[in-house]
Amino acid sequence: MIFKGLTAYSFRIDLEKNEKSTAEILKFFEKYNVVKYYGNPELGDKTEKPHYQMIIWMKEITSEHRTKMRNYWRGKVEKKKGGGVSLTKAKFEKKLFGYCRKNEKNCIFTNVSKEIYKNIEIVESIKAVKVKNREKLQKIIGGISLKLTKYEYLGALE
C-alpha cells in the first residue's frame, strides 16, 4: 500500500492532452474525492489513440459508484470500441504505478511527490517486452534460418 487508507484504481480516459482535458479531469477528481493521482498522456501502442493512462487513489468505493464515475464522462469522450473510459480497482498497485510510468516524459500529470514515484520501478509495455524477447531468442538461435520447415527448424535448434 503506497498511501495508507487509500485504495488504488486504474483510470484510463481517451482524451487528447490539452488544457481543456486537464481541467475536466481535475474537475472530475474534485467531484469524486480523488485524493492522489499520477499519469501520463500517451498514444496507444496499436491504435495510436491519445489517452491518459493513470493510477488514482481514493477511499474504497463500490462497483456501483465506479459506474457513476464512468458515466460522468458520457458525452465528454468519444465512445468507440473499448468505451473511452476505464476505471477499475488495481490488483497490483506498484505494477500499475510502474506501468503508468512507462512513457514518462515532462508532461507528468500528478499530485504525488517525486520522492514517492521515483521509488516505483518502471514497467515496460507488452509490446516492448515482446521485442526484447524476440531479440534475445535471435541471439540464442544464431543463424538458424526462419525459412526452414517446423521439423527442420527443431532439428537445427536441437
Side-chain angles (χ1 to χ4, degrees), residues 48-60:
E48 298 205 5
K49 187 189 307 183
H51 65 275
Y52 284 80
Q53 182 70 51
M54 304 189 78
I55 181 170
I56 61 175
W57 290 268
M58 56 196 302
K59 299 271 186 201
E60 189 161 0

Side-chain angles (χ1 to χ4, degrees), residues 6-38:
L6 298 176
T7 302
Y9 295 89
S10 170
F11 178 59
R12 182 188 186 280
I13 181 137
D14 294 346
L15 289 174
E16 291 195 32
K17 180 193 177 294
N18 58 43
E19 287 180 28
K20 185 179 175 190
S21 296
T22 302
E24 193 63 43
I25 291 170
L26 289 172
K27 183 176 159 186
F28 168 78
F29 287 167
E30 187 176 324
K31 178 177 174 128
Y32 289 102
N33 302 313
V34 173
V35 180
K36 295 286 184 184
Y37 56 89
Y38 178 94

Side-chain angles (χ1 to χ4, degrees), residues 21-94:
S21 296
T22 302
E24 193 63 43
I25 291 170
L26 289 172
K27 183 176 159 186
F28 168 78
F29 287 167
E30 187 176 324
K31 178 177 174 128
Y32 289 102
N33 302 313
V34 173
V35 180
K36 295 286 184 184
Y37 56 89
Y38 178 94
N40 279 297
E42 60 183 35
L43 295 175
D45 282 345
K46 292 180 183 175
T47 63
E48 298 205 5
K49 187 189 307 183
H51 65 275
Y52 284 80
Q53 182 70 51
M54 304 189 78
I55 181 170
I56 61 175
W57 290 268
M58 56 196 302
K59 299 271 186 201
E60 189 161 0
I61 55 175
T62 64
S63 62
E64 290 83 15
H65 191 74
R66 286 195 306 273
T67 299
K68 284 180 186 177
M69 290 174 75
R70 283 189 291 272
N71 287 342
Y72 171 90
W73 295 101
R74 279 195 180 157
K76 294 179 175 110
V77 295
E78 192 175 334
K79 187 174 181 174
K80 290 185 176 178
K81 187 176 181 182
V85 127
S86 172
L87 178 65
T88 58
K89 189 173 178 180
K91 292 179 184 145
F92 303 102
E93 181 180 22
K94 287 186 178 179

